[in-house]
Amino acid sequence: MTLYAKWISAAHDKNGKNIKKCWDEYIPLEQAVYSNLLADKTTHIEGTVGELGLLFHMPPEYIIGFLDGINEALDEPLEIKELSADSSVKLDFSFEKLYKKMVEYRAEHLCELPEWDGIFDEDARRLMRKEQRDSTTIHKDAKIGRNDPCPCGSGKKYKKCCGARLSVAE
């Protein structure tokens, strides 16, 4: 069984629901890793999965969970499903991208770590939260009614202008 498969089976049941016991163990360890990275202002980590486990005091399958969580913030994403304890990994990331990913995943337990104060002030974090939320918001244009003026500027009703061309094409 791969480390990724071990992580998934430890963290989620067969229906895909979180296994509380696992997450209760994992989340404080994950917070400690991020606290250390932020406090040391570390944006580069190298080593094997096993070495990272020793460094961060986590079993290898939890390191896979950590790597899975940080993967999209990395400059060069990893093939998580392929990793073993002997696999070498290189983690390079920016704090801005990392913070925005935490906001996107709604990882409040990580976004609210006090060590972020040493990286970004509250205004910068507020702006990044807004940018991230706005980037995933879908804005739909107002629907044109049949009897509304045509947006092409002809002065005709939509149904007699561009709307008529669309209904003929269909």
Side-chain angles (χ1 to χ4, degrees):
M1 180 181 275
T2 66
L3 284 175
Y4 182 77
K6 285 182 182 178
W7 163 246
I8 293 300
S9 67
H12 307 285
D13 66 17
K14 292 182 183 191
N15 297 321
K17 292 187 179 183
N18 290 344
I19 297 175
K20 184 177 178 352
K21 182 180 184 253
C22 174
W23 289 99
D24 287 347
E25 292 173 9
Y26 174 77
I27 287 176
L29 296 173
E30 179 187 39
Q31 286 176 311
V33 170
Y34 281 112
S35 291
N36 289 334
L37 293 178
L38 295 170
D40 296 342
K41 295 182 173 51
T42 303
T43 59
H44 174 82
I45 305 166
E46 265 186 82
T48 66
V49 171
E51 289 169 345
L52 294 182
L54 293 173
L55 177 67
F56 297 132
H57 310 288
M58 296 171 98
E61 57 271 16
Y62 282 15
I63 289 296
I64 295 298
F66 165 73
L67 294 175
D68 195 21
I70 198 174
N71 202 33
E72 288 187 35
L74 298 177
D75 295 343
E76 294 179 30
L78 303 167
E79 292 294 328
I80 301 294
K81 294 178 181 179
E82 316 277 321
L83 297 176
S84 69
D86 297 327
S87 299
S88 292
V89 293
K90 183 172 135 183
L91 314 178
D92 289 304
F93 56 91
S94 76
F95 287 125
E96 181 175 346
K97 191 172 181 181
L98 181 62
Y99 187 80
K100 286 181 177 180
K101 283 294 173 186
M102 289 176 178
V103 170
E104 179 182 345
Y105 294 136
R106 294 185 171 111
E108 297 301 322
H109 66 285
L110 299 175
C111 292
E112 295 173 0
L113 290 171
E115 289 80 8
W116 280 113
D117 293 339
I119 307 291
F120 302 115
D121 63 24
E122 183 56 39
D123 289 338
R125 290 196 307 270
R126 188 177 305 114
L127 180 63
M128 285 188 286
R129 282 191 300 271
K130 182 181 179 337
E131 285 174 6
Q132 179 56 42
R133 289 186 180 125
D134 287 351
S135 74
T136 58
T137 302
I138 298 171
H139 298 280
K140 293 185 178 180
D141 293 331
K143 188 174 179 180
I144 303 167
R146 294 174 27 86
N147 292 315
D148 290 342
C150 190
C152 75
S154 68
K156 297 179 182 179
K157 288 184 178 182
Y158 180 70
K159 69 181 179 186
K160 296 284 187 179
C161 190
C162 294
R165 284 182 261 170
L166 287 177
S167 62
V168 170
E170 296 176 69

Coordinates of all heavy atoms in Angstrom, one line a residue, residues 10-97:
A10 N -6.4 6.4 6.4 CA -6.4 6.9 7.8 C -7.3 8.1 8.0 O -8.0 8.2 9.0 CB -5.0 7.2 8.2
A11 N -7.4 9.0 6.9 CA -8.1 10.2 7.1 C -9.5 10.2 6.7 O -10.3 11.0 7.2 CB -7.4 11.3 6.2
H12 N -9.9 9.2 5.8 CA -11.3 9.2 5.3 C -11.8 7.8 5.3 O -11.1 6.8 5.0 CB -11.3 9.7 3.9 CG -10.7 11.1 3.7 ND1 -11.3 12.2 4.1 CD2 -9.5 11.4 3.2 CE1 -10.6 13.2 3.9 NE2 -9.5 12.8 3.3
D13 N -13.1 7.6 5.7 CA -13.7 6.3 5.6 C -14.1 6.0 4.2 O -13.8 6.7 3.2 CB -14.9 6.2 6.6 CG -16.1 7.1 6.2 OD1 -16.2 7.5 5.0 OD2 -17.0 7.3 7.0
K14 N -14.7 4.8 3.9 CA -15.0 4.3 2.6 C -16.0 5.2 1.9 O -16.1 5.2 0.7 CB -15.5 2.9 2.6 CG -14.4 1.9 3.0 CD -14.9 0.5 3.0 CE -13.7 -0.3 3.5 NZ -13.9 -1.7 3.3
N15 N -16.8 6.0 2.6 CA -17.8 6.9 2.1 C -17.2 8.3 1.8 O -17.9 9.3 1.4 CB -19.0 7.1 2.9 CG -19.7 5.7 3.1 OD1 -19.8 5.0 2.1 ND2 -20.2 5.4 4.3
G16 N -15.9 8.5 2.1 CA -15.2 9.8 1.9 C -15.3 10.7 3.1 O -14.9 11.9 3.0
K17 N -15.9 10.3 4.2 CA -16.1 11.2 5.3 C -14.8 11.2 6.1 O -14.1 10.2 6.2 CB -17.3 10.8 6.2 CG -18.6 11.0 5.5 CD -19.8 10.7 6.4 CE -21.1 10.9 5.7 NZ -22.2 10.7 6.6
N18 N -14.5 12.3 6.8 CA -13.3 12.5 7.6 C -13.4 11.5 8.8 O -14.5 11.4 9.4 CB -13.2 13.9 8.1 CG -12.8 14.8 7.0 OD1 -12.3 14.4 5.9 ND2 -12.9 16.1 7.3
I19 N -12.3 10.9 9.2 CA -12.2 10.1 10.4 C -11.7 11.0 11.5 O -10.6 11.5 11.5 CB -11.3 8.9 10.2 CG1 -11.9 8.0 9.1 CG2 -11.1 8.2 11.5 CD1 -11.1 6.8 8.7
K20 N -12.6 11.4 12.4 CA -12.3 12.4 13.4 C -11.0 12.1 14.2 O -10.2 13.0 14.4 CB -13.5 12.5 14.4 CG -13.3 13.6 15.5 CD -14.6 13.6 16.3 CE -14.5 14.6 17.4 NZ -13.4 15.3 17.8
K21 N -10.8 10.8 14.6 CA -9.6 10.5 15.4 C -8.3 10.9 14.7 O -7.4 11.5 15.2 CB -9.6 9.0 15.7 CG -8.4 8.6 16.6 CD -8.5 7.1 16.8 CE -7.3 6.7 17.8 NZ -6.3 6.0 17.1
C22 N -8.3 10.6 13.4 CA -7.1 10.9 12.6 C -6.9 12.4 12.5 O -5.8 13.0 12.7 CB -7.2 10.4 11.2 SG -5.9 10.9 10.0
W23 N -8.0 13.2 12.2 CA -7.8 14.6 12.1 C -7.5 15.3 13.4 O -6.8 16.3 13.4 CB -9.1 15.2 11.4 CG -9.2 14.8 10.0 CD1 -9.9 13.8 9.4 CD2 -8.4 15.4 8.9 NE1 -9.6 13.7 8.1 CE2 -8.7 14.7 7.7 CE3 -7.5 16.4 8.8 CZ2 -8.2 15.0 6.5 CZ3 -7.0 16.7 7.6 CH2 -7.3 16.0 6.4
D24 N -8.0 14.7 14.5 CA -7.7 15.3 15.8 C -6.2 15.2 16.1 O -5.6 16.0 16.8 CB -8.5 14.6 16.9 CG -10.0 15.0 16.9 OD1 -10.3 16.0 16.2 OD2 -10.8 14.3 17.6
E25 N -5.6 14.1 15.6 CA -4.1 13.9 15.8 C -3.4 14.8 14.8 O -2.3 15.4 15.1 CB -3.7 12.5 15.5 CG -4.2 11.5 16.6 CD -4.0 10.0 16.2 OE1 -3.2 9.8 15.2 OE2 -4.5 9.2 16.9
Y26 N -3.8 14.8 13.5 CA -3.1 15.5 12.4 C -3.1 17.0 12.5 O -2.0 17.6 12.3 CB -3.7 15.0 11.1 CG -3.1 15.8 9.9 CD1 -1.8 15.4 9.4 CD2 -3.8 16.8 9.3 CE1 -1.2 16.1 8.4 CE2 -3.2 17.5 8.2 CZ -1.9 17.1 7.8 OH -1.4 17.8 6.7
I27 N -4.2 17.6 12.8 CA -4.3 19.1 12.7 C -3.3 19.8 13.7 O -2.6 20.7 13.2 CB -5.8 19.5 12.9 CG1 -6.6 19.2 11.7 CG2 -5.8 21.0 13.2 CD1 -8.0 19.5 11.7
P28 N -3.1 19.4 14.9 CA -2.1 20.1 15.7 C -0.7 19.9 15.2 O 0.1 20.8 15.3 CB -2.3 19.4 17.1 CG -3.6 18.8 17.1 CD -3.9 18.4 15.7
L29 N -0.4 18.7 14.6 CA 0.9 18.5 14.0 C 1.1 19.4 12.8 O 2.2 20.0 12.6 CB 1.1 17.0 13.6 CG 1.0 16.0 14.8 CD1 1.0 14.6 14.2 CD2 2.2 16.2 15.7
E30 N 0.0 19.5 12.0 CA 0.1 20.4 10.8 C 0.3 21.8 11.2 O 1.1 22.6 10.6 CB -1.2 20.2 10.0 CG -1.3 21.1 8.8 CD -2.6 21.1 8.1 OE1 -3.7 21.0 8.8 OE2 -2.6 21.1 6.8
Q31 N -0.4 22.3 12.2 CA -0.3 23.6 12.7 C 1.1 23.9 13.2 O 1.7 25.0 13.0 CB -1.3 23.9 13.9 CG -2.7 24.1 13.4 CD -3.7 24.2 14.5 OE1 -3.7 23.5 15.5 NE2 -4.6 25.2 14.4
A32 N 1.7 22.9 13.9 CA 3.1 23.1 14.4 C 4.1 23.2 13.2 O 5.0 24.0 13.3 CB 3.5 21.9 15.3
V33 N 3.9 22.4 12.1 CA 4.8 22.5 11.0 C 4.7 23.9 10.4 O 5.7 24.6 10.2 CB 4.4 21.5 9.9 CG1 5.1 21.8 8.6 CG2 4.7 20.1 10.4
Y34 N 3.4 24.4 10.1 CA 3.3 25.7 9.6 C 3.8 26.8 10.5 O 4.4 27.8 10.1 CB 1.8 26.0 9.1 CG 1.5 25.3 7.8 CD1 0.6 24.3 7.8 CD2 2.1 25.7 6.6 CE1 0.3 23.6 6.6 CE2 1.8 25.1 5.4 CZ 0.9 24.1 5.4 OH 0.6 23.5 4.2
S35 N 3.6 26.7 11.8 CA 4.1 27.7 12.8 C 5.6 27.8 12.7 O 6.1 28.9 12.7 CB 3.7 27.3 14.2 OG 2.3 27.4 14.4
N36 N 6.2 26.6 12.6 CA 7.7 26.7 12.4 C 8.2 27.3 11.1 O 9.1 28.1 11.1 CB 8.3 25.2 12.6 CG 8.2 24.7 14.0 OD1 8.1 25.4 14.9 ND2 8.1 23.4 14.1
L37 N 7.5 26.9 10.0 CA 7.9 27.5 8.7 C 7.7 29.0 8.7 O 8.5 29.8 8.2 CB 7.0 26.9 7.6 CG 7.2 25.4 7.3 CD1 6.3 25.0 6.2 CD2 8.7 25.1 6.9
L38 N 6.6 29.5 9.3 CA 6.3 30.9 9.3 C 7.2 31.7 10.3 O 7.7 32.7 9.9 CB 4.8 31.2 9.7 CG 3.8 30.6 8.7 CD1 2.4 30.7 9.3 CD2 3.9 31.4 7.4
A39 N 7.5 31.1 11.4 CA 8.4 31.7 12.4 C 9.8 31.8 11.9 O 10.4 32.9 12.0 CB 8.4 30.9 13.7
D40 N 10.2 30.8 11.2 CA 11.6 30.8 10.6 C 11.7 31.5 9.2 O 12.7 31.6 8.6 CB 12.1 29.4 10.5 CG 12.3 28.7 11.8 OD1 12.3 29.4 12.8 OD2 12.4 27.4 11.8
K41 N 10.5 31.8 8.7 CA 10.4 32.4 7.3 C 11.0 31.5 6.3 O 11.7 32.0 5.4 CB 11.0 33.8 7.3 CG 10.2 34.8 8.2 CD 10.8 36.2 8.1 CE 10.0 37.3 8.8 NZ 9.6 37.1 10.1
T42 N 10.7 30.2 6.4 CA 11.3 29.2 5.5 C 10.4 29.0 4.3 O 9.2 28.7 4.5 CB 11.4 27.8 6.3 OG1 12.2 28.0 7.4 CG2 12.0 26.8 5.4
T43 N 10.9 29.2 3.1 CA 10.2 29.0 1.9 C 10.8 27.9 1.0 O 10.4 27.7 -0.1 CB 10.0 30.3 1.1 OG1 11.3 30.7 0.7 CG2 9.2 31.3 1.8
H44 N 11.8 27.2 1.6 CA 12.5 26.1 0.9 C 12.8 25.0 1.8 O 13.4 25.2 2.9 CB 13.8 26.6 0.2 CG 14.6 25.5 -0.4 ND1 14.3 25.1 -1.7 CD2 15.6 24.8 0.1 CE1 15.2 24.1 -2.0 NE2 16.0 23.9 -0.9
I45 N 12.3 23.8 1.5 CA 12.6 22.6 2.3 C 13.0 21.5 1.3 O 12.4 21.3 0.2 CB 11.4 22.1 3.1 CG1 10.8 23.2 3.9 CG2 11.7 20.9 3.9 CD1 9.4 23.0 4.4
E46 N 14.0 20.7 1.7 CA 14.5 19.6 0.8 C 14.7 18.4 1.7 O 15.2 18.6 2.9 CB 15.7 19.9 0.1 CG 15.5 20.4 -1.3 CD 16.8 20.6 -2.1 OE1 17.3 19.6 -2.6 OE2 17.3 21.7 -2.1
G47 N 14.5 17.2 1.2 CA 14.8 16.0 1.9 C 13.9 14.9 1.5 O 13.1 15.1 0.6
T48 N 14.1 13.7 2.1 CA 13.2 12.6 1.7 C 11.9 12.7 2.5 O 11.9 13.5 3.6 CB 13.8 11.2 2.0 OG1 14.0 11.1 3.4 CG2 15.1 11.1 1.2
V49 N 10.9 12.0 2.2 CA 9.6 12.0 2.9 C 9.9 11.6 4.3 O 9.4 12.1 5.3 CB 8.6 11.2 2.2 CG1 7.3 11.0 3.1 CG2 8.2 11.8 0.9
G50 N 10.7 10.5 4.5 CA 11.1 10.0 5.8 C 11.8 11.0 6.6 O 11.5 11.2 7.8
E51 N 12.7 11.8 6.0 CA 13.5 12.8 6.7 C 12.5 14.0 7.2 O 12.7 14.5 8.3 CB 14.6 13.4 5.9 CG 15.7 12.4 5.6 CD 16.7 12.9 4.5 OE1 16.4 13.8 3.7 OE2 17.8 12.3 4.5
L52 N 11.6 14.3 6.3 CA 10.6 15.3 6.7 C 9.8 14.9 7.9 O 9.4 15.6 8.8 CB 9.7 15.7 5.6 CG 10.4 16.4 4.4 CD1 9.4 16.8 3.3 CD2 11.2 17.7 4.8
G53 N 9.5 13.6 7.9 CA 8.7 13.0 9.0 C 9.5 13.2 10.3 O 8.9 13.5 11.4
L54 N 10.8 12.9 10.3 CA 11.6 13.0 11.5 C 11.7 14.5 11.9 O 11.6 14.9 13.1 CB 13.0 12.5 11.3 CG 13.0 10.9 11.1 CD1 14.5 10.5 10.7 CD2 12.6 10.2 12.3
L55 N 11.9 15.4 10.9 CA 12.1 16.8 11.1 C 10.8 17.4 11.8 O 10.9 18.2 12.7 CB 12.4 17.5 9.8 CG 12.5 19.1 9.9 CD1 13.7 19.5 10.7 CD2 12.6 19.6 8.4
F56 N 9.6 17.0 11.3 CA 8.4 17.6 11.7 C 7.6 16.7 12.8 O 6.5 17.0 13.2 CB 7.4 17.8 10.6 CG 8.0 18.9 9.6 CD1 8.0 18.6 8.2 CD2 8.5 20.1 10.0 CE1 8.5 19.6 7.3 CE2 9.0 21.0 9.2 CZ 9.0 20.8 7.8
H57 N 8.3 15.6 13.2 CA 7.7 14.7 14.2 C 6.3 14.2 13.8 O 5.4 14.2 14.5 CB 7.6 15.4 15.6 CG 8.8 16.1 16.0 ND1 10.0 15.4 16.4 CD2 9.2 17.4 16.0 CE1 10.9 16.2 16.7 NE2 10.5 17.5 16.5
M58 N 6.3 13.7 12.5 CA 5.0 13.1 12.0 C 5.3 11.8 11.3 O 6.4 11.6 10.7 CB 4.5 14.1 10.9 CG 4.0 15.4 11.3 SD 3.6 16.5 9.9 CE 1.9 16.3 9.9
P59 N 4.4 10.9 11.4 CA 4.6 9.6 10.6 C 4.5 9.9 9.1 O 3.9 10.9 8.7 CB 3.4 8.7 11.0 CG 2.4 9.6 11.7 CD 3.1 10.9 12.1
P60 N 5.2 9.1 8.3 CA 5.3 9.4 6.8 C 3.9 9.6 6.1 O 3.8 10.5 5.3 CB 6.0 8.1 6.3 CG 6.7 7.6 7.4 CD 5.9 7.9 8.6
E61 N 2.9 8.9 6.6 CA 1.6 9.1 5.9 C 1.0 10.5 6.2 O 0.3 11.1 5.4 CB 0.6 8.0 6.2 CG 0.3 7.7 7.6 CD 1.2 6.7 8.3 OE1 2.2 6.4 7.7 OE2 0.8 6.2 9.4
Y62 N 1.3 11.0 7.4 CA 0.9 12.4 7.8 C 1.7 13.4 7.0 O 1.2 14.4 6.6 CB 1.0 12.6 9.3 CG -0.1 12.0 10.1 CD1 -0.9 11.1 9.7 CD2 -0.2 12.4 11.4 CE1 -1.9 10.5 10.5 CE2 -1.2 11.9 12.3 CZ -2.1 11.0 11.8 OH -3.0 10.4 12.6
I63 N 3.0 13.1 6.7 CA 3.8 14.0 5.8 C 3.1 14.0 4.4 O 3.0 15.1 3.8 CB 5.2 13.5 5.8 CG1 5.9 13.7 7.1 CG2 6.0 14.2 4.6 CD1 6.1 15.2 7.5
I64 N 2.6 12.9 4.0 CA 1.9 12.9 2.7 C 0.7 13.8 2.7 O 0.4 14.5 1.8 CB 1.5 11.4 2.3 CG1 2.8 10.6 2.0 CG2 0.6 11.4 1.0 CD1 3.7 11.1 0.9
G65 N 0.0 13.7 3.9 CA -1.2 14.6 4.0 C -0.7 16.1 4.0 O -1.4 16.9 3.4
F66 N 0.4 16.4 4.7 CA 0.9 17.8 4.7 C 1.3 18.2 3.2 O 1.0 19.2 2.8 CB 2.1 17.9 5.6 CG 3.0 19.1 5.4 CD1 2.5 20.3 5.8 CD2 4.2 19.0 4.8 CE1 3.3 21.5 5.6 CE2 5.0 20.1 4.6 CZ 4.5 21.4 5.0
L67 N 2.0 17.3 2.5 CA 2.5 17.5 1.2 C 1.3 17.7 0.2 O 1.3 18.6 -0.7 CB 3.4 16.4 0.7 CG 4.7 16.3 1.4 CD1 5.5 15.1 0.9 CD2 5.6 17.6 1.2
D68 N 0.2 16.9 0.5 CA -1.0 17.0 -0.4 C -1.6 18.4 -0.1 O -2.1 19.0 -1.1 CB -1.9 15.9 0.0 CG -3.1 15.7 -1.0 OD1 -2.9 16.1 -2.2 OD2 -4.1 15.1 -0.6
G69 N -1.6 18.9 1.1 CA -2.2 20.2 1.4 C -1.4 21.4 0.8 O -2.0 22.3 0.4
I70 N -0.1 21.2 0.8 CA 0.8 22.4 0.4 C 1.1 22.3 -1.1 O 1.5 23.2 -1.7 CB 2.1 22.4 1.2 CG1 2.8 23.8 1.1 CG2 3.0 21.3 0.8 CD1 4.0 24.0 2.0
N71 N 0.7 21.2 -1.7 CA 1.2 20.9 -3.1 C 0.8 22.0 -4.1 O 1.6 22.3 -5.0 CB 0.6 19.5 -3.6 CG 1.4 18.9 -4.7 OD1 2.6 19.1 -4.8 ND2 0.8 18.2 -5.6
E72 N -0.4 22.5 -4.1 CA -0.8 23.5 -5.1 C -0.2 24.8 -4.8 O -0.2 25.7 -5.7 CB -2.3 23.6 -5.1 CG -3.0 22.4 -5.7 CD -4.5 22.6 -5.8 OE1 -4.9 23.8 -6.1 OE2 -5.3 21.7 -5.6
A73 N 0.5 25.0 -3.7 CA 1.2 26.3 -3.4 C 2.6 26.2 -3.8 O 3.3 27.2 -3.8 CB 1.1 26.7 -2.0
L74 N 3.1 25.0 -4.2 CA 4.5 24.8 -4.5 C 4.8 25.3 -5.9 O 3.9 25.3 -6.8 CB 4.9 23.3 -4.5 CG 4.8 22.6 -3.2 CD1 5.1 21.1 -3.3 CD2 5.7 23.3 -2.1
D75 N 6.0 25.8 -6.1 CA 6.4 26.3 -7.5 C 6.4 25.1 -8.5 O 6.0 25.3 -9.6 CB 7.8 26.9 -7.4 CG 7.9 28.2 -6.6 OD1 6.8 28.8 -6.3 OD2 9.0 28.6 -6.2
E76 N 6.8 23.9 -8.0 CA 6.8 22.7 -8.8 C 6.0 21.6 -8.0 O 6.6 21.0 -7.1 CB 8.2 22.2 -9.1 CG 9.0 23.2 -10.0 CD 10.4 22.7 -10.3 OE1 10.6 21.4 -10.3 OE2 11.3 23.5 -10.4
P77 N 4.7 21.5 -8.3 CA 3.9 20.5 -7.6 C 4.5 19.1 -7.7 O 5.2 18.7 -8.7 CB 2.6 20.5 -8.3 CG 2.5 21.9 -8.9 CD 3.9 22.2 -9.3
L78 N 4.3 18.3 -6.6 CA 4.8 16.9 -6.5 C 3.7 15.9 -7.0 O 2.5 16.2 -7.1 CB 5.1 16.6 -5.1 CG 6.0 17.5 -4.3 CD1 6.0 17.3 -2.8 CD2 7.4 17.3 -4.9
E79 N 4.2 14.7 -7.4 CA 3.3 13.6 -7.8 C 3.1 12.9 -6.5 O 3.7 11.9 -6.1 CB 4.0 12.7 -8.8 CG 4.1 13.3 -10.2 CD 2.8 13.6 -10.8 OE1 1.8 12.9 -10.6 OE2 2.7 14.6 -11.6
I80 N 2.1 13.4 -5.7 CA 1.9 12.9 -4.3 C 1.7 11.4 -4.3 O 2.2 10.7 -3.4 CB 0.7 13.6 -3.7 CG1 0.9 15.1 -3.6 CG2 0.4 13.1 -2.3 CD1 2.0 15.5 -2.7
K81 N 0.9 10.9 -5.2 CA 0.5 9.4 -5.2 C 1.7 8.5 -5.4 O 1.6 7.3 -5.1 CB -0.6 9.2 -6.2 CG -1.9 9.9 -5.9 CD -2.9 9.6 -6.9 CE -4.2 10.4 -6.6 NZ -5.3 10.2 -7.6
E82 N 2.8 9.1 -6.0 CA 4.0 8.2 -6.3 C 5.0 8.2 -5.2 O 5.9 7.4 -5.2 CB 4.6 8.8 -7.5 CG 3.7 9.2 -8.7 CD 3.3 8.1 -9.5 OE1 4.2 7.2 -9.8 OE2 2.2 8.0 -9.9
L83 N 4.9 9.0 -4.2 CA 5.9 9.2 -3.2 C 6.0 8.0 -2.2 O 5.0 7.5 -1.8 CB 5.7 10.5 -2.4 CG 5.8 11.8 -3.1 CD1 5.4 13.0 -2.2 CD2 7.1 12.0 -3.8
S84 N 7.2 7.7 -1.8 CA 7.5 6.7 -0.8 C 8.4 7.4 0.3 O 8.8 8.5 0.1 CB 8.3 5.5 -1.4 OG 9.6 5.9 -1.7
A85 N 8.7 6.7 1.3 CA 9.5 7.2 2.4 C 10.9 7.7 1.9 O 11.5 8.6 2.5 CB 9.6 6.3 3.6
D86 N 11.3 7.0 0.9 CA 12.7 7.3 0.4 C 12.7 8.3 -0.7 O 13.7 8.7 -1.2 CB 13.3 6.0 -0.2 CG 13.5 5.0 0.9 OD1 13.8 5.4 2.1 OD2 13.4 3.8 0.6
S87 N 11.5 8.8 -1.1 CA 11.4 9.8 -2.2 C 12.0 11.1 -1.8 O 11.6 11.6 -0.7 CB 10.0 10.0 -2.7 OG 9.4 8.8 -3.1
S88 N 12.8 11.7 -2.6 CA 13.3 13.1 -2.4 C 12.3 14.1 -2.8 O 11.7 13.9 -3.9 CB 14.6 13.3 -3.1 OG 15.6 12.5 -2.6
V89 N 12.1 15.1 -2.0 CA 11.1 16.2 -2.3 C 11.8 17.5 -2.1 O 12.7 17.7 -1.3 CB 9.8 16.1 -1.5 CG1 9.0 14.9 -1.8 CG2 10.1 16.1 0.0
K90 N 11.4 18.4 -2.9 CA 11.9 19.8 -2.9 C 10.7 20.7 -2.8 O 9.9 20.7 -3.7 CB 12.8 20.1 -4.1 CG 13.4 21.4 -4.1 CD 14.4 21.5 -5.2 CE 14.2 22.8 -5.9 NZ 15.1 23.0 -7.1
L91 N 10.6 21.5 -1.8 CA 9.4 22.3 -1.6 C 9.9 23.8 -1.6 O 10.6 24.3 -0.8 CB 8.7 22.1 -0.2 CG 8.5 20.6 0.2 CD1 7.9 20.6 1.6 CD2 7.6 19.9 -0.8
D92 N 9.5 24.5 -2.7 CA 9.7 25.9 -2.8 C 8.3 26.6 -3.0 O 7.5 26.1 -3.8 CB 10.6 26.2 -4.0 CG 12.0 25.8 -3.8 OD1 12.6 26.2 -2.8 OD2 12.5 25.0 -4.6
F93 N 8.1 27.6 -2.2 CA 6.8 28.2 -2.3 C 6.9 29.7 -1.8 O 7.9 30.1 -1.2 CB 5.7 27.5 -1.4 CG 6.2 27.4 0.0 CD1 5.9 28.3 1.0 CD2 7.0 26.3 0.4 CE1 6.3 28.2 2.3 CE2 7.4 26.2 1.7 CZ 7.0 27.1 2.7
S94 N 5.9 30.5 -2.2 CA 5.8 31.8 -1.6 C 4.7 31.9 -0.6 O 3.7 31.2 -0.6 CB 5.5 32.8 -2.8 OG 4.1 32.8 -3.1
F95 N 5.0 32.7 0.4 CA 4.0 32.9 1.5 C 2.6 33.4 1.0 O 1.6 33.0 1.5 CB 4.5 33.7 2.6 CG 5.6 33.0 3.5 CD1 6.8 33.6 3.6 CD2 5.3 31.8 4.1 CE1 7.8 33.0 4.4 CE2 6.3 31.2 4.8 CZ 7.5 31.8 5.0
E96 N 2.7 34.3 0.0 CA 1.4 34.8 -0.5 C 0.6 33.7 -1.2 O -0.6 33.6 -0.9 CB 1.7 35.9 -1.5 CG 0.5 36.6 -2.1 CD 0.7 37.7 -3.0 OE1 1.8 38.3 -3.1 OE2 -0.2 38.1 -3.7
K97 N 1.2 32.9 -2.0 CA 0.4 31.8 -2.6 C 0.0 30.8 -1.6 O -1.2 30.4 -1.7 CB 1.3 31.2 -3.7 CG 0.6 30.2 -4.6 CD 1.5 29.7 -5.7 CE 0.7 28.8 -6.6 NZ 1.6 28.3 -7.7

